[in-house]
Amino acid sequence: MKGNARAFASALFLIGLGLMLVTLFEALPFGGAPMQVGQAIAGRALEDTGATNIVSAVLLAYRGLDTLGEVAILFVAATAAGLVLGGAGRAEAQGTPAGFILRAAAALLFPFLLVLGAYIVIHGHLTPGGGFQGGAILAAAFFVPLLAHPASPVNHGVATVVEAFAGAVFVVIGLAGLVGGGAFLVPLLGAGTPGDLFSAGSLPLLYLAIGLKVGSELAGLMARIAAAGDPARQGGKA
Amino acid sequence: MTLTAHHVVLPVALPLLVAFLLPLVGRLSDGLARLLAQLTTLAVAVIALLLWPAASDGGALVSAMGGFAAPIGIVFYADKLALMFVVALAVGLLLFRPRREHDSTKVQTLWLLLLAGGSGLVLSGDLFNIFVFYEITAVATYGLGASAHTGAGYGASLRYLLLSALGSAFALLGIALVYAAAGTLNLADLSQLAGERLTGPMGLTAFVLMVLGFGVKAELFPVNTWVPEVYTAAPTRVTAVLAGVVSKLAMVVILRLLVLLFQDPAALGFLLLLGAIGVAAGELAAFRSRDLHRTFAYSSIAQLGLMAVAFSIPGHAGVLAGIAVALHHLVVKPAFFVLADRWRGEIAGLTGAGRTSPLAAGLFVLLSLSIIGIPPLPGFWAKLMLFKAAIDAGGAGNLTAVAIILAATVIEAAYLFRVVGILYGTAPAGRPPLRFTLGELAPGLLLGAVLIAATVSVAPLGDGLTAMAADSADAAAYASRVLPGGN
Amino acid sequence: MPFALPFDMTSLDLLMAIAAAATVLLYLFGTARLGGYLATLLHGAALAVTVAMGLDLAAGAGAIPSSLRLTVLGQQLAWTLDGLGWFFLLLTTGAAFFSSWYMAGEWGRVQQRARIQHGTLALNVLTMVLLLSAGDLLGLFIGWEFVSWAAFAMMIQAGGPATQAAYRYMLYALAGAMALFAAILVVHGAAGGFGFDQMRAALPDMSTGMLWTLFALFAGGFGVKMALVPTHLWQAPAYSYTPGASSAFLNAVSARMGLFALILSLVKLIGFDTLAGLRIPMTGIESTDILAWVAAITMVVPTYIALMQTDARMLLTWHGIGQGGYMLLGILVATPLGVAGGLLHVFNYATYQMALILAVFAVIHRTGTADLDELGGLITRMPLTYVALLMGIIGLAGLPPMNGFVSKWMIYKALIVTQQPLLSIAAFVGTLGTILSVYKLIHNIFLGQLRVEHREIREAPWSMTLPMLVLAGIGFVTGFAPGLALSIVDQAQAAMGVALLPHHLGGVVLATGSLNMLWVVGVLVGAIGVGALIFYVLGNRRFETHQYDNYAGGHFLSADIRYHFSHEFYPGLARVIGPWYRGWVVRMEHGLGVLAEVSGDLWHGVFRAAYTPLYVLIVAVLGLFWAGGAGGFGS
Amino acid sequence: MTMDAEMLGKALYAGAVCLVLLGLYGMVVPRNLMRIVLGLVLLESGVNLFLVAAGFRADAAAPILTAPFTAQAAGPLVDPVPQALVLTAIVIGVGVLALGLALVVRVKEAYGTLDTHAVANRMARETGADPAVTAAGARTPGALPVAAGRTAEDAP
């Protein structure tokens, strides 16, 4: 098929699809979500978990398994990317150094990003934010210096340890419920006083684990992809 | 240790835990990591087997994650069907475990994650949770698909990833539609709401989107175009597991969707159509194929099409047929790929290979006869169940599907026995003979032995499957077990 | 699998046990020094059991059940042998006995893999027992597949061209089996089960369309095995390239399994009455008429193709296809005479065709070739083989005093009595072709100039000549005393529910003209005696010539000059037949292959395409469009 | 429901549909693998937007409790579940994107091109499959099973 003809046909099909989707969405009552489950959760989340951020309660308690899966997906993706790209970052690198502004700003930003990320992680059960958002910021904190100093070797060792233990902690907290004869991921340690930093039982712990895991994995992923574009950094893998 | 219903999470949690820790262990010793991973896989199989009696007593084991009962939290639902596929997955992963090779720990980690994802896929009773586990499985297979470290492997894996991600986006849209319409994601809850909320264009659209999404892994037409490329370019171990087990897991998800959510004849008709096209397309393309890997890949597409046809027949007869076809294919196709590993490349180049390795050629004949459906091999009974279900259900669509499958069987025999003829031909002089070592052939021989054992014990096996299918096809029982209080 | 205790065994159980034991034992020990004789012994035992069963049946036993019972996935399988099955079983065990005898001596010793030949022969017998005693449609289908694949195993063993021929057979057989599968599924859909009784009970409620479908599927499915035109292309090569006694066995009984199944499905289950009620609208053409014409074409076309063969095996196997047409035609006449004629022809054909094939393989065994252009004059070197072949071709041509004459006479007579002139003419035309081509066979092998390289040829060993002579002898005895064979046929006819044909030792008694072979043969022998008297006593111009070094028109013809007229045997006839020979059937077969290949290309292209997301998009759009329509947006 | 909410809903759904269509266009029409990957990102955003919009309720607050910390005091809340789901979906998308990019890098290295046709042909050549579908006539001789099955005897 010629490129133009394909584009034209695709456009026609897309218009058709669009019209059908619009028809479907029209039939949905916007703003009147059925909330079969959502209503119940909104009503009892505080008693169940002690988290004031109900989204966090859903994420870590009601749908904690999804979150574990989500962490696992990042881990799978990182492992698979590692497998595909080979052990990057070991070789003596010689990338082009970044400009002064980036280097200065990176040094300046690093502690702030670190603090911000940590804050967002540990307050995830109280305010908007949480392990993923905070973890992403933490990853950025470590990635910005790398941008500033492309030649600096990445130490995957520490990241691996953090990654491994953070992930394991999540599963172990979940399995702790089984030991007590309950279900997987049962909330532990009591709900506490709503609004306090040390409340919501094991939720902050889970968020911490997620934050560290996501942070280290994203940082590792970005470092690998960045290194992959640079043949000198591919650790002997051609 | 006595196992309770809550232990059904172990097939997911245990491999995840070990997988998270595996890179650390791998830094110490690759061998230790491999051992640990394989022990974990074995443990999962054992746990699933230990859970089996309890599951058969009460019909199923139900565990609500975090102790949040059914519609609010995520539940795991382990009936015999799900446990059987967990065992099959674990055994398959053990049988085709990675050997000592480059990046062993990473491959082994992905292997464990595949186990966790696959187990979760069949055990989970929550629509979105299923999607999450589906993605774990999918991403692990993208990585494994590229693990041959060849250009073709990367390319095939990337094209697979793009297609699969496109499908996943569709599936997510479908799930979103379901949630927007029904406000819940729990399958049991949805099955009770399906009658009023999931009928009409909304429900059907959601179904079509989800089938296109989950169908990628289930090798359904038209989202199966990745199959020949990946199966040819990936290491054979990976291909054997993908074709043998993982595809079935996705099919089980589609079965759950059909049984619990979409008993609409229109939805069934859609799946029937895709399945029938898959059968015809797969067999014809396999007929055209000149390479053993590709032939088996296409044949796999056809077999999955057969399953889709079976599942699209309402009632437990169709489910029984589908499970029978699935189990048969689960045994046969990996064994085929064991053979294809050594017999690489052009089929025409295999002339006389059967005379140098008679055991392998004999295995090939046995597997071929079974997959074609020659009595008394299990493949015949599976096809018979399928045809009986289709005929008893009646309808022009089902009858046409039967006719297509019958015709496709001849094509199937044509290409498989063309290979047999070549295998037993006279080899041109001066070519080094293709021989198998016993170690290479062992998984295939084991599966062949399983096939023969199944032939001998087809009667009790059939009774067990019938009970399992009747239970799996019972939406009301599912709902009442997950939501004991009623809703 | 609950097996009955040994002392509760029925004779069918015993037979199955013998056949199963033979399969295993012969596969293990077929190459051993006495393995061949073990085979003969086992098959002889099976034959003896079969004969004993026949005595039971004749004494009014009804049907012989087997204790073997299976319940698989809600399907009950049981096996019972009635008179019809027994008739074909007798042929099977008999053919196996003679085949194994032939293989027992020198033949088996020179074969590379005698064990496989013995093993597959025993396997074929076992599968045929299962088919012939099938107690329901599912058992019939399973037995059918068994028989098909056992025959495949027998054919493919020789390698070389046999592989291709067997492959082609397998495709045809599987296509037929799938038609049969469809047929039993149609029955299951209508009757709710696979039982014969269930099917009979459901027949009256079936629509005409469904009956036509059943008729077409059964006839098509089983017709493939009988190589009815246009599904005949596979048979001759497949049977020809199978080695020796196996080929004889296949020729004698394998294709007859198709006839058995056709009789079972069309006559015993559906019934002549129902079939007669099936007419093409607006015409008087009944369903059986269509089949009868197919049979008639099968009698004529393959026979004339046989005429053009240059390989002795091919010539005979092409004839085998044509002879199948006679049998089917006789049965489709549906009168006691026709049915008896058809069934008797099955028996007769088995005797003389086996003798012929065995004789040809004896020639191959000694000379290494079956090429009719490469042989000649062997009458002096292999006289016993010559006698067997001579008697065989007389039977094949349907001439007295051999048994082939009796059955063919009955079929002609039945056709004439029921006033079907066109079919009768077809039968005569077929016989004419047979006579012409069997002359080519015997002339090119045994008569005329002996080739130099065959001067030292010895007669085949007794282990090979005896079986064929005995078979030819049976053909001769049942020729002048057809009553012997007709009493066997009675069993089958009774089980089919067709009235028995009155007969006596020498022939049949009919209102429209009887046949007494004792008398015919007596006259014939007397006439030959008169001829001999004239020849020897009055004239005696008998003198011997050398078979090489000869004179013609005053020229000295040395041994290296070929004057044996064998090449291009019937040139004029060949020109007439030529267009048929490479006719539409071959092209149709080729076309189907091309069609599959091209559609394969098409799908291969779809899977190879680089823009698969577009396909997904298109299907998604169509699916959504359809979902909207089916769900109510469209309405 | 107020007028504003209705407009908002229309805008959100329209946005979601537009993103989905744009993403699909990006996946279907371009032949450059990198662009296809970016199309995938757009498509996923569209789906996510729809998912989160589906949980919206008019006149309801964000599902985060403030001072008195009781659900009753907060009044009606927006459905929290889709928000959690979207978070998960986004992370999944990130993982897939990262792996996809890694593969893109490798494909570019291996074949020097990102054109999907060219990549497909190179792959086919590497795995031994025919680089392009041949016309019916250009097959390997003797490949037809039936033609190969015909022997000299039946068609001399």
Side-chain angles (χ1 to χ4, degrees):
Chain A
M1 218 188 294
K2 284 271 165 50
N4 284 339
R6 193 150 63 89
F8 183 66
S10 314
L12 285 183
F13 276 107
L14 284 171
I15 292 169
L17 184 72
L19 291 177
M20 276 188 285
L21 285 180
V22 167
T23 320
L24 272 180
F25 291 173
E26 278 280 85
L28 284 174
F30 179 75
M35 285 187 73
Q36 193 85 6
V37 172
Q39 195 70 58
I41 287 180
R44 56 183 278 193
L46 195 60
E47 290 91 276
D48 279 348
T49 64
T52 57
N53 181 350
I54 298 181
V55 177
S56 288
V58 172
L59 209 60
L60 292 178
Y62 299 105
R63 307 195 66 87
L65 196 63
D66 275 355
T67 308
L68 178 59
E70 186 180 348
V71 172
I73 287 179
L74 264 191
F75 179 64
V76 184
T79 311
L83 182 69
V84 168
L85 296 174
R90 293 284 165 80
E92 196 59 35
Q94 26 177 285
T96 336
F100 166 75
I101 296 178
L102 182 53
R103 274 183 282 139
L108 208 61
L109 268 177
F110 180 69
F112 285 108
L113 284 175
L114 217 54
V115 170
L116 181 64
Y119 175 85
I120 289 181
V121 168
I122 55 183
H123 284 80
H125 59 298
L126 300 175
T127 56
F132 289 100
Q133 298 87 331
I137 293 173
L138 285 178
F142 286 97
F143 192 60
V144 169
L146 189 69
L147 286 180
H149 305 281
S152 65
V154 182
N155 188 349
H156 284 280
V158 179
T160 311
V161 175
V162 172
E163 216 178 299
F165 278 110
V169 162
F170 196 129
V171 184
V172 168
I173 292 177
L175 288 175
L178 284 186
V179 176
F184 189 69
L185 280 173
V186 162
L188 304 170
L189 306 176
T193 317
D196 282 4
L197 184 55
F198 294 103
S199 64
S202 49
L203 262 55
L205 286 178
L206 292 179
Y207 255 161
L208 195 60
I210 292 170
L212 289 175
K213 181 123 181 107
V214 169
S216 52
E217 248 149 31
L218 283 182
L221 260 176
M222 285 189 284
R224 283 216 170 86
I225 293 175
D230 183 354
R233 283 169 153 264
Q234 279 160 25
K237 186 94 190 97
Chain B
M1 186 171 82
T2 53
L3 294 179
T4 66
H6 293 311
H7 288 96
V8 297
V9 79
L10 283 180
V12 175
L14 211 55
L16 268 187
L17 177 64
V18 178
F20 285 148
L21 291 174
L22 212 59
L24 270 192
V25 182
R27 287 186 160 241
L28 300 176
S29 148
D30 260 359
L32 188 65
R34 214 167 37 240
L35 183 71
L36 186 62
Q38 282 159 21
L39 283 179
T40 311
T41 316
L42 187 66
V44 167
V46 171
I47 289 169
L49 284 176
L50 289 176
L51 289 169
W52 183 277
S56 23
D57 286 346
L61 295 169
V62 179
S63 169
M65 294 301 127
F68 302 108
I72 292 182
I74 293 171
V75 292
F76 264 27
Y77 179 87
D79 57 355
K80 284 187 281 187
L81 179 71
L83 287 177
M84 183 179 75
F85 277 104
V86 171
V87 175
L89 178 61
V91 171
L93 290 174
L94 265 186
L95 209 55
F96 296 97
R97 64 193 177 277
R99 315 275 170 189
R100 196 171 306 146
E101 59 186 38
H102 186 62
D103 285 333
S104 161
T105 308
K106 288 200 181 93
V107 171
Q108 196 71 74
T109 310
L110 291 180
W111 222 237
L112 278 180
L113 288 164
L114 190 57
L115 175 63
S119 305
L121 199 55
V122 287
L123 287 172
S124 182
D126 182 282
L127 198 50
F128 190 79
N129 196 234
I130 287 176
F131 174 75
V132 171
F133 281 117
Y134 178 81
E135 285 294 313
I136 296 182
T137 316
V139 178
T141 55
Y142 308 149
L144 290 170
S147 65
H149 292 299
T150 58
Y154 297 134
S157 202
L158 179 57
R159 282 158 59 99
Y160 168 36
L161 180 141
L162 290 171
L163 190 66
S164 180
L166 174 63
S168 294
F170 278 157
L172 189 59
L173 193 57
I175 293 172
L177 278 178
V178 169
Y179 188 78
T184 179
L185 292 165
N186 184 280
L187 289 182
D189 204 16
L190 281 171
S191 82
Q192 294 186 331
L193 293 171
E196 61 178 288
R197 305 260 177 98
L198 293 183
T199 50
M202 190 72 65
L204 281 178
T205 304
F207 175 75
V208 168
L209 289 172
M210 282 194 276
V211 162
L212 287 179
F214 294 124
V216 174
K217 195 127 298 204
E219 302 177 19
L220 275 184
F221 179 84
V223 278
N224 51 15
T225 44
W226 59 276
V227 168
E229 286 176 358
V230 171
Y231 285 9
T232 314
T236 309
R237 287 177 292 101
V238 176
T239 306
V241 170
L242 281 188
V245 197
V246 178
S247 53
K248 313 295 180 303
L249 304 180
M251 215 49 172
V252 171
V253 171
I254 291 177
L255 171 68
R256 292 262 198 248
L257 290 181
L258 277 177
V259 167
L260 297 173
L261 270 56
F262 302 102
Q263 274 301 328
D264 192 329
L268 296 175
F270 182 69
L271 192 63
L272 179 76
L273 182 68
L274 292 190
I277 296 178
V279 172
E283 301 294 19
L284 282 170
F287 180 73
R288 161 66 176 69
S289 161
R290 299 281 173 266
D291 161 287
L292 214 50
H293 266 95
R294 233 164 250 270
T295 305
F296 292 149
Y298 287 130
S299 144
S300 173
I301 288 173
Q303 292 288 316
L304 268 294
L306 222 52
M307 272 180 79
V309 170
F311 285 152
S312 71
I313 299 165
H316 77 275
V319 177
L320 170 64
I323 295 176
V325 172
L327 283 182
H328 172 252
H329 188 234
L330 191 111
V331 172
V332 167
K333 195 45 59 73
F336 265 134
F337 276 112
V338 168
L339 297 176
D341 193 24
R342 167 66 46 177
W343 290 338
R344 278 188 174 278
E346 284 253 329
I347 294 174
L350 298 176
T351 317
R355 296 191 191 270
T356 48
S357 29
L359 205 55
L363 182 64
F364 186 94
V365 172
L366 175 74
L367 299 172
S368 301
L369 287 176
S370 191
I371 208 168
I372 295 168
I374 304 305
L377 294 167
F380 165 71
W381 297 107
K383 268 193 182 162
L384 179 67
M385 291 298 105
L386 171 58
F387 290 151
K388 257 178 64 179
I391 287 285
D392 290 346
N398 282 330
L399 296 185
T400 314
V402 169
I404 288 175
I405 295 169
L406 284 172
T409 304
V410 180
I411 306 270
E412 195 175 20
Y415 65 76
L416 286 173
F417 273 80
R418 185 169 56 194
V419 178
V420 171
I422 288 170
L423 286 179
Y424 284 104
T426 315
R431 220 198 27 215
L434 293 161
R435 281 211 180 80
F436 283 83
T437 65
L438 200 60
E440 281 173 340
L441 201 55
L445 290 178
L446 190 66
L447 291 170
V450 169
L451 197 67
I452 291 173
T455 310
V456 175
S457 56
V458 68
L461 214 58
D463 295 342
L465 286 183
T466 310
M468 182 191 286
D471 191 55
S472 312
D474 191 347
Y478 187 105
S480 71
R481 284 173 200 148
V482 174
L483 308 166
N487 202 358
Chain C
M1 277 188 223
F3 286 103
L5 291 170
F7 37 83
D8 277 343
M9 274 174 112
T10 64
S11 45
L12 183 57
D13 294 342
L14 182 62
L15 189 70
M16 286 179 178
I18 293 175
T23 308
V24 176
L25 286 176
L26 296 180
Y27 185 72
L28 292 176
F29 304 115
T31 319
R33 203 167 60 84
L34 294 176
Y37 291 100
L38 174 68
T40 318
L41 200 67
L42 286 167
H43 290 302
L47 181 58
V49 174
T50 313
V51 171
M53 286 164 125
L55 296 176
D56 278 357
L57 286 172
I64 300 168
S66 158
S67 324
L68 184 63
R69 269 187 182 39
L70 279 176
T71 307
V72 181
L73 294 160
Q75 299 301 320
Q76 299 212 331
L77 288 171
W79 286 267
T80 311
L81 190 75
D82 67 358
L84 180 66
W86 175 82
F87 173 71
F88 286 91
L89 181 65
L90 180 72
L91 297 177
T92 305
T93 49
F97 172 70
F98 284 107
S99 297
S100 59
W101 185 5
Y102 186 85
M103 277 196 281
E106 189 176 315
W107 173 271
R109 280 199 294 281
V110 300
Q111 294 300 302
Q112 286 212 328
R113 283 173 292 170
R115 156 181 112 93
I116 295 181
Q117 287 191 27
H118 277 301
T120 50
L121 178 64
L123 180 69
N124 270 274
V125 174
L126 176 63
T127 56
M128 284 173 183
V129 173
L130 289 174
L131 173 70
L132 294 173
S133 59
D136 55 41
L137 286 172
L138 187 61
L140 185 73
F141 176 74
I142 292 176
W144 184 255
E145 286 271 26
F146 281 176
V147 165
S148 297
W149 287 91
F152 175 73
M154 196 176 229
M155 290 168 191
I156 202 167
Q157 55 180 293
T163 312
Q164 295 290 356
Y167 175 69
R168 195 183 192 186
Y169 156 75
M170 187 275 296
L171 285 185
Y172 274 94
L174 197 70
M178 290 303 115
L180 172 59
F181 210 163
I184 72 168
L185 288 169
V186 170
V187 173
H188 190 278
F194 290 125
F196 288 156
D197 294 334
Q198 280 169 303
M199 176 177 170
R200 283 200 199 92
L203 275 175
D205 300 331
M206 287 189 191
S207 65
T208 319
M210 193 179 264
L211 282 173
W212 270 110
T213 312
L214 269 187
F215 169 74
L217 288 173
F218 275 129
F222 295 131
V224 170
K225 188 84 178 170
M226 286 189 70
L228 293 181
V229 175
T231 59
H232 60 284
L233 290 179
W234 63 271
Q235 196 178 75
Y239 285 3
S240 297
Y241 295 129
T242 307
S246 302
S247 173
F249 179 81
L250 286 178
N251 268 292
V253 293
S254 190
R256 300 296 84 79
M257 293 300 129
L259 186 67
F260 160 77
L262 265 181
I263 295 174
L264 177 64
S265 57
L266 296 186
V267 180
K268 270 189 75 179
L269 294 176
I270 298 181
F272 281 133
D273 295 342
T274 314
L275 286 181
L278 275 188
R279 289 165 195 278
I280 298 177
M282 309 294 176
T283 65
I285 301 173
E286 296 169 12
S287 52
T288 44
D289 292 341
I290 300 172
L291 201 54
W293 273 103
V294 170
I297 294 170
T298 309
M299 286 188 309
V300 177
V301 175
T303 302
Y304 283 87
I305 293 175
L307 219 157
M308 299 177 62
Q309 300 302 317
T310 53
D311 184 302
R313 297 168 296 177
M314 287 293 232
L315 190 147
L316 285 174
T317 48
W318 273 108
H319 270 301
I321 300 172
Q323 297 298 306
Y326 282 96
M327 302 167 198
L328 181 60
L329 189 59
I331 285 160
L332 289 175
V333 174
T335 60
L337 179 65
V339 172
L343 288 173
L344 184 62
H345 200 58
V346 174
F347 179 88
N348 294 345
Y349 168 81
T351 57
Y352 59 70
Q353 181 79 347
M354 273 199 90
L356 284 170
I357 296 276
L358 292 178
V360 165
F361 273 97
V363 171
I364 296 175
H365 180 64
R366 286 303 188 212
T367 65
T369 181
D371 190 338
L372 292 174
D373 292 349
E374 305 287 328
L375 292 163
L378 287 175
I379 182 167
T380 52
R381 309 306 311 166
M382 306 179 74
L384 292 176
T385 309
Y386 167 76
V387 169
L389 190 108
L390 177 66
M391 291 171 78
I393 63 165
I394 295 175
L396 182 58
L399 301 175
M402 293 297 290
N403 56 7
F405 169 74
V406 186
S407 43
K408 279 198 179 173
W409 180 87
M410 287 164 73
I411 294 168
Y412 303 145
K413 182 90 184 172
L415 286 173
I416 293 166
V417 168
T418 53
Q419 296 176 341
Q420 308 199 63
L422 288 173
L423 290 174
S424 320
I425 291 171
F428 292 135
V429 170
T431 300
L432 179 68
T434 313
I435 295 171
L436 288 176
S437 54
V438 294
Y439 176 67
K440 173 179 175 179
L441 181 72
I442 198 159
H443 168 269
N444 285 15
I445 299 178
F446 286 104
L447 306 182
Q449 182 190 22
L450 183 69
R451 293 180 77 100
V452 185
E453 63 267 30
H454 295 157
R455 271 186 211 180
E456 304 302 322
I457 290 287
R458 284 175 297 120
E459 176 58 280
W462 284 107
S463 63
M464 290 163 73
T465 46
L466 263 186
M468 54 197 181
L469 285 171
V470 171
L471 281 164
I474 295 175
F476 179 62
V477 171
T478 52
F480 68 75
L484 296 173
L486 279 169
S487 54
I488 296 171
V489 168
D490 278 350
Q491 300 289 342
Q493 213 161 345
M496 282 167 71
V498 177
L500 297 186
L501 182 71
H503 60 82
H504 52 80
L505 183 65
V508 292
V509 187
L510 293 172
T512 51
S514 307
L515 175 72
N516 191 338
M517 282 304 287
L518 290 170
W519 189 79
V520 171
V521 176
V523 168
L524 197 68
V525 171
I528 292 172
V530 171
L533 204 67
I534 294 167
F535 188 76
Y536 287 111
V537 177
L538 299 182
N540 197 8
R541 304 276 177 87
R542 179 171 171 270
F543 61 93
E544 282 191 18
T545 60
H546 281 293
Q547 283 184 300
Y548 27 88
D549 295 355
N550 224 321
Y551 299 91
H555 289 278
F556 182 71
L557 296 174
S558 66
D560 54 316
I561 298 175
R562 302 290 302 146
Y563 60 85
H564 182 50
F565 176 72
S566 61
H567 193 62
E568 299 263 350
F569 208 67
Y570 294 114
L573 206 52
R575 266 198 297 284
V576 178
I577 304 163
W580 282 97
Y581 186 45
R582 293 203 200 188
W584 59 277
V585 184
V586 177
R587 277 202 291 277
M588 187 182 75
E589 187 194 59
H590 184 72
L592 278 174
V594 171
L595 180 68
E597 191 81 1
V598 168
S599 4
D601 268 357
L602 189 76
W603 282 112
H604 194 72
V606 169
F607 284 109
R608 276 264 299 103
Y611 34 85
T612 47
L614 180 59
Y615 293 147
V616 180
L617 173 65
I618 292 171
V619 174
V621 171
L622 295 178
L624 255 58
F625 177 71
W626 169 85
F633 271 163
S635 56
Chain D
M1 197 195 299
T2 64
M3 217 39 213
D4 282 354
E6 203 167 320
M7 288 308 293
L8 177 65
K10 288 219 161 72
L12 283 179
Y13 283 156
V17 170
C18 283
L19 276 174
V20 166
L21 295 185
L22 267 179
L24 275 175
Y25 186 83
M27 290 199 77
V28 169
V29 176
R31 284 169 47 159
N32 184 301
L33 284 167
M34 192 66 202
R35 285 172 188 235
I36 297 179
V37 171
L38 294 177
L40 176 66
V41 175
L42 283 177
L43 173 61
E44 279 172 351
S45 330
V47 175
N48 289 341
L49 182 55
F50 171 69
L51 183 54
V52 82
F56 180 72
R57 273 179 77 138
D59 309 325
I64 294 174
L65 304 179
T66 43
F69 295 129
T70 53
Q72 287 73 25
L77 295 176
V78 166
D79 193 344
V81 176
Q83 306 200 357
L85 300 186
V86 162
L87 192 51
T88 308
I90 290 171
V91 175
I92 292 173
V94 169
V96 173
L97 175 66
L99 182 55
L101 288 178
L103 286 167
V104 166
V105 168
R106 278 304 192 195
V107 168
K108 175 80 180 177
E109 268 176 22
Y111 293 139
T113 174
L114 286 177
D115 182 284
T116 167
H117 284 261
V119 167
N121 282 332
R122 292 285 300 272
M123 276 161 55
R125 217 170 306 150
E126 194 176 318
T127 53
D130 312 335
V133 176
T134 52
R139 269 180 241 99
T140 40
L144 275 184
V146 180
R150 195 183 310 111
T151 45
E153 279 73 10
D154 28 271

